[in-house]
Amino acid sequence: FRCRKFPNIFAAGTGQGPGIRSGMTELHGLLVTIFGAGEVLTDPLDLVPYSFDGTAALQQMPEAVVFARTAEQVVELVKLANA
């Protein structure tokens, strides 16, 4: 997933670099607006299970995980990714 509005957050997938935390704070706020606070994970310990697939061959820590409950939330997430 690469977000046009926040390219530095997702481009390297490391969550490190200049301005990453401030961009992540803004992104987190937008995600909470779309999904609600209980549906957005950003704590590193919560993200570990989502950092690899079944093979564990490819690992990459996500910056956030969201749980979309409606089609409208998915639409808003796609809009955000293409912003």
Side-chain angles (χ1 to χ4, degrees):
F1 170 70
R2 185 177 295 256
C3 181
R4 291 180 186 160
K5 184 169 180 154
F6 301 97
N8 293 331
I9 293 174
F10 297 102
T14 63
Q16 299 175 0
I20 296 299
R21 281 294 115 207
S22 63
M24 191 58 211
T25 301
E26 182 182 353
L27 177 61
H28 181 263
L30 292 169
L31 293 174
V32 168
T33 299
I34 296 169
F35 298 98
E39 306 300 325
V40 179
L41 302 178
T42 56
D43 184 281
L45 292 176
D46 293 334
L47 299 174
V48 170
Y50 303 96
S51 67
F52 55 90
D53 63 10
T55 65
L58 297 173
Q59 275 192 286
Q60 186 168 354
M61 186 66 74
E63 295 291 340
V65 172
V66 297
F67 300 99
R69 304 288 183 201
T70 67
E72 291 80 18
Q73 289 175 327
V74 174
V75 168
E76 290 303 314
L77 182 61
V78 172
K79 286 179 183 177
L80 177 60
N82 287 313

